[in-house]
Amino acid sequence: MNISAFGAIIALVIAIILILKKVEPTYAMIFGAIFGGLLGGAGLAGTVSCMITGVQGIVSAIVRIVTAGILAGVLIESGAAARIAEAIIRKMGSRRSLIAIMLATWCLTAVGVFGDVAVITVAPIAIQLARRSGFKKLGVLMALIGGVKAGNVMSPNPNAIAASEAFHIPLTSTMMAGIVPAVAALITTTLLSRALIHKGSDFDEVEESVSESELPSLAGAVTGPLVTILLLLLRPLCGITVDPLIALPAGGISGVLAMRKGKHICFYFTSGLKKMSGVAMLLIGTGTLAGIISNSNLKDVIIQGIEYAGLPGFLLAPISGTLMGAATASSTAGTTLASQIFGPTVMLSGISAIAAAVMTHTGSFVFDGLPHGSFFHVSAGALNMDIRERLKLIAYESLNGLAMVVLAVLVYGVLRFAG
């Protein structure tokens, strides 16, 4: 089936417009895929066939993401995430408030907490520190967002799982390769948040942090993430493969036992499934859109543009990640689309699967915070920031994402090819 580039572009445009109109993103992408396929010349039967094929290509990633909900539910609902965040902020002290806020969100996302949940978890503590230090909202939110990006690019979160699945590499390889762009994000975030420290509105309302008595011990809180990471590391260290489908739930259950909260385990499972169900549904919509685009001429048009500009072929990885991340305003959906659609072509440029995965993955973070995505609104709401003020931060967070891409391309693309 050969769908025109015009049809693929129409599919993306319709999906974005519907998302901006507050249509559920899953349905927005399905509707976009239908119209894109029809207008692209696939016909009704061909359009449906492409959509189904696209979803089938990411089923294994969806299953792993659903099981990851066990660890996420335990970390969030047990108070483990809040305990880890509070421990980092207290250790760093008020003099290093912005760095502490950034490291807290980095740590939470790096161990498997969703970015929006990490922001919501750290925000109440961050507000208290900001009020005490006289900081304003833009600098604090930049620290939160930068920490999320740095953690997400090296985490067992859905975006990393999607990249690993598409390029057929271990999740630990994607996570380890993500350390390089994570360093760029942490450094850039430190500089940008300090530059914005006295810009924006004041924190007017005092918000209470999580009650100390309700939080588990720090040792119990970190048990789940540690067990998960150790199980995943068995492959590179000992040659023993433990799939994320096993490692993530095992880490969650270990955390429950370590915190002695076994009586709440069903609640944690239910909560985690609810949190992951939204991502799973998003990826189903993403799969339908990927099916249309991957069977279109759009990727050929983009490849021709890169060749016409005289750029090396491996740059298709970060460029496709950036474009798809902007189209969906989601690092998970952006990584999935870019990996599924452009991954095979990227591999033809001669780079390794790990290099292709990390550059594609990193590219999705440049524009993943645009207003047609949920993270934009969640992050604004966490600090009681109005939309107009939140829009001012997009350029800075995109600059942060660009720094991640530049370092990833330099290390995994330019230097490897030069060597």
Side-chain angles (χ1 to χ4, degrees):
M1 185 63 60
N2 191 19
I3 299 171
S4 68
F6 171 76
I9 293 172
I10 288 296
L12 283 170
V13 170
I14 290 176
I16 293 171
I17 291 174
L18 291 176
I19 291 172
L20 289 172
K21 293 293 184 180
K22 309 301 182 185
V23 174
E24 185 66 32
T26 299
Y27 289 133
M29 285 189 277
I30 290 175
F31 291 146
I34 292 172
F35 284 105
L38 293 175
L39 295 175
L44 189 57
T47 296
V48 172
S49 176
C50 289
M51 292 169 64
I52 296 299
T53 302
V55 175
Q56 289 174 340
I58 60 172
V59 167
S60 58
I62 293 173
V63 173
R64 288 175 173 82
I65 287 166
V66 169
T67 57
I70 293 177
L71 177 62
V74 170
L75 285 172
I76 296 161
E77 301 297 346
S78 68
R83 166 60 76 190
I84 295 170
E86 201 160 20
I88 293 171
I89 289 175
R90 285 188 175 182
K91 185 70 175 178
M92 296 293 292
S94 58
R95 289 183 60 188
R96 301 180 184 88
S97 300
L98 287 177
I99 296 177
I101 291 167
M102 176 186 70
L103 291 179
T105 51
W106 164 75
C107 181
L108 292 183
T109 49
V111 300
V113 176
F114 280 4
D116 52 357
V117 175
V119 168
I120 292 170
T121 301
V122 178
I125 311 169
I127 290 172
Q128 294 287 353
L129 283 173
R131 285 177 56 82
R132 209 176 301 155
S133 306
F135 299 158
K136 296 192 175 182
K137 289 184 179 180
L138 284 179
V140 173
L141 187 55
M142 185 65 234
L144 289 168
I145 291 174
V148 166
K149 289 182 185 291
N152 247 337
V153 77
M154 53 176 291
S155 75
N157 269 327
N159 37 285
I161 293 174
S164 301
E165 286 289 307
F167 289 99
H168 308 292
I169 58 175
L171 178 58
T172 44
S173 298
T174 303
M175 293 167 62
M176 294 297 289
I179 293 175
V180 171
V183 170
L186 291 173
I187 294 172
T188 307
T189 300
T190 300
L191 298 175
L192 291 176
S193 59
R194 287 189 178 279
L196 296 169
I197 201 169
H198 297 301
K199 296 185 182 295
S201 57
D202 294 313
F203 292 98
D204 296 324
E205 299 179 7
V206 178
E207 301 188 24
E208 298 296 327
S209 60
V210 180
S211 171
E212 180 76 20
S213 62
E214 298 176 358
L215 298 179
S217 67
L218 181 59
V222 301
T223 297
L226 282 178
V227 169
T228 299
I229 292 170
L230 287 174
L231 288 174
L232 291 173
L233 285 175
L234 286 177
R235 177 179 177 127
L237 295 178
C238 309
I240 301 172
T241 301
V242 180
D243 194 276
L245 191 149
I246 303 298
L248 291 163
I253 294 170
S254 299
V256 171
L257 297 176
M259 292 182 285
R260 299 180 180 178
K261 295 193 174 187
K263 63 181 180 180
H264 302 299
I265 193 167
C266 290
F267 170 69
Y268 297 155
F269 283 12
T270 302
S271 175
L273 181 60
K274 288 179 179 177
K275 294 181 187 304
M276 291 297 180
S277 62
V279 180
M281 290 298 102
L282 175 67
L283 288 184
I284 289 176
T286 301
T288 63
L289 199 57
I292 296 299
I293 299 175
S294 62
N295 285 285
S296 75
N297 297 326
L298 180 59
K299 58 180 179 294
D300 298 324
V301 172
I302 295 175
I303 293 167
Q304 289 170 8
I306 292 175
E307 292 176 348
Y308 182 78
L311 300 173
F314 64 77
L315 284 182
L316 178 61
I319 290 173
S320 63
T322 301
L323 291 175
M324 296 301 103
T328 59
S330 165
S331 60
T332 299
T335 300
T336 304
L337 279 172
S339 301
Q340 293 285 335
I341 297 166
F342 299 96
T345 307
V346 170
M347 294 300 297
L348 294 177
S349 67
I351 61 174
S352 66
I354 293 175
V358 71
M359 287 193 285
T360 304
H361 187 199
T362 304
S364 71
F365 292 104
V366 179
F367 295 115
D368 65 327
L370 293 178
H372 56 284
S374 61
F375 185 69
F376 174 91
H377 302 281
V378 169
S379 57
L383 296 188
N384 295 320
M385 180 183 288
D386 64 50
I387 299 302
R388 183 175 299 179
E389 185 175 6
R390 176 66 180 86
L391 286 169
K392 296 177 181 178
L393 202 62
I394 289 179
Y396 296 98
E397 59 181 301
S398 296
L399 182 62
N400 189 23
L402 186 61
M404 296 168 65
V405 169
V406 169
L407 187 57
V409 169
L410 180 64
V411 173
Y412 294 102
V414 176
L415 293 182
R416 290 198 178 188
F417 262 75

